Amino acid sequence: MIIAQIMAGGIGKRMGNVPLPKQFLMLGSKPIIIHTVEKFILHKSFEFILISVPEDWISYMEDILNKYNIEDERIRVICGGKERNDTLDNALKYIENEGNFTGEDCLITHDAVRPFVTRRIIEENIKALKNFDAVDTVIPATDTIVEGSNGYISNIPIRDLMYQGQTPQSFKITSLRESLEKLKISERQKLSDSAKIMLLDGKKVKMVAGDISNIKITTPYDLTIANAILENFH
């Protein structure tokens, strides 16, 4: 069984003073999250497509699915969490409550605000899980990455070894649950990357090539760029 999770649990503070969580802002003629959902319903291999949103926005999400004629019986709108890992955990609990899953079942997680994910990226994530417990979508870093704290540089890694993480991030469900349960509460709150859960547990994470167009919309500038990309797609 292969399950998709579209992660829309946040409210998007970096977007500034806007009336809606960023995933519900308009991109062209539709909300960002509708563009993303449309990419996933094209894949018949998904048993379920979970859409994780803040509890207070579940009804709103269901309303816009109806408004934009998204009719797919695999879709489940569920409650997200306070932090990214809480949103992930809530999805795992939902899946477990459905029952009938095995150690080979997979979860493909994707940011709701990455609406330009391609069919190729999703398919390569699914394919890689046949041989690995975890998969991360990445692109090579084009800028020099600088590590530092308190206003000082502490390290400048070799750029050829650096990548920028995107999503999907994909996992064997049993292996992910096993690693997630080992995290301390403090680690759950600090970790902003789901693949690192597996790394901390000593598991290998396979890299899949992303795409420069697979941007994450987190700021007003990103939204401007996304509208330009959308125009070029049409």
Side-chain angles (χ1 to χ4, degrees):
M1 183 163 62
I2 304 172
I3 298 168
Q5 181 191 15
I6 297 173
M7 303 185 82
I11 58 174
K13 295 177 181 178
R14 283 177 288 178
M15 189 58 74
N17 187 24
V18 293
L20 299 170
K22 60 187 177 183
Q23 57 268 28
F24 299 126
L25 296 177
M26 296 299 289
L27 172 60
S29 61
K30 294 178 284 192
I32 296 169
I33 194 168
I34 293 297
H35 288 277
T36 305
V37 171
E38 288 175 339
K39 299 297 193 303
F40 279 82
I41 62 177
L42 293 174
H43 292 264
K44 303 306 180 185
S45 55
F46 292 124
E47 185 82 11
F48 298 114
I49 300 172
L50 307 180
I51 305 176
S52 301
V53 300
E55 186 173 9
D56 293 343
W57 291 89
I58 289 177
S59 294
Y60 184 87
M61 183 70 233
E62 292 172 340
D63 288 344
I64 64 170
L65 287 171
N66 290 329
K67 179 178 179 180
Y68 292 94
N69 300 313
I70 305 295
E71 298 177 357
D72 192 308
E73 62 184 12
R74 299 172 298 167
I75 291 176
R76 309 283 191 276
V77 181
I78 66 173
C79 183
K82 185 177 180 181
E83 306 293 341
R84 186 180 187 88
N85 289 328
D86 298 324
T87 297
L88 184 61
D89 198 31
N90 284 352
L92 293 176
K93 289 175 181 175
Y94 180 89
I95 294 166
E96 288 165 3
N97 288 336
E98 289 291 310
N100 298 320
F101 72 94
T102 72
E104 294 302 308
D105 291 334
C106 302
L107 180 65
I108 314 298
T109 70
H110 186 67
D111 295 326
V113 289
R114 290 188 187 272
F116 301 119
V117 63
T118 65
R119 184 177 189 89
R120 190 268 306 166
I121 291 173
I122 295 173
E123 289 179 346
E124 288 191 8
N125 268 259
I126 294 171
K127 183 178 179 181
L129 283 175
K130 293 178 180 179
N131 299 308
F132 298 91
D133 283 357
V135 182
D136 200 0
T137 304
V138 302
I139 58 172
T142 54
D143 293 326
T144 297
I145 305 298
V146 176
E147 183 179 351
S149 62
N150 300 319
Y152 296 94
I153 292 175
S154 60
N155 187 34
I156 302 178
I158 299 171
R159 188 175 64 186
D160 289 350
L161 301 178
M162 297 296 107
Y163 294 82
Q164 295 169 224
Q166 298 185 336
T167 61
Q169 291 183 320
S170 304
F171 309 94
K172 293 279 183 62
I173 291 175
T174 300
S175 185
L176 174 61
R177 166 57 76 193
E178 177 185 82
S179 298
L180 191 60
E181 288 177 348
K182 293 179 183 179
L183 291 180
K184 299 175 183 176
I185 294 177
S186 59
E187 290 175 324
R188 280 174 175 257
Q189 294 172 341
K190 287 189 297 183
L191 282 179
S192 60
D193 187 280
S194 302
K196 194 168 182 179
I197 297 168
M198 308 295 274
L199 288 176
L200 289 173
D201 197 24
K203 295 173 181 174
K204 289 184 177 180
V205 179
K206 175 64 174 175
M207 293 193 298
V208 162
D211 194 283
I212 58 172
S213 67
N214 186 27
I215 66 170
K216 186 176 183 181
I217 304 172
T218 58
T219 68
Y221 176 77
D222 296 334
L223 189 55
T224 299
I225 297 299
N227 273 293
I229 295 172
L230 187 65
E231 287 183 14
N232 286 331
F233 276 8
H234 285 80

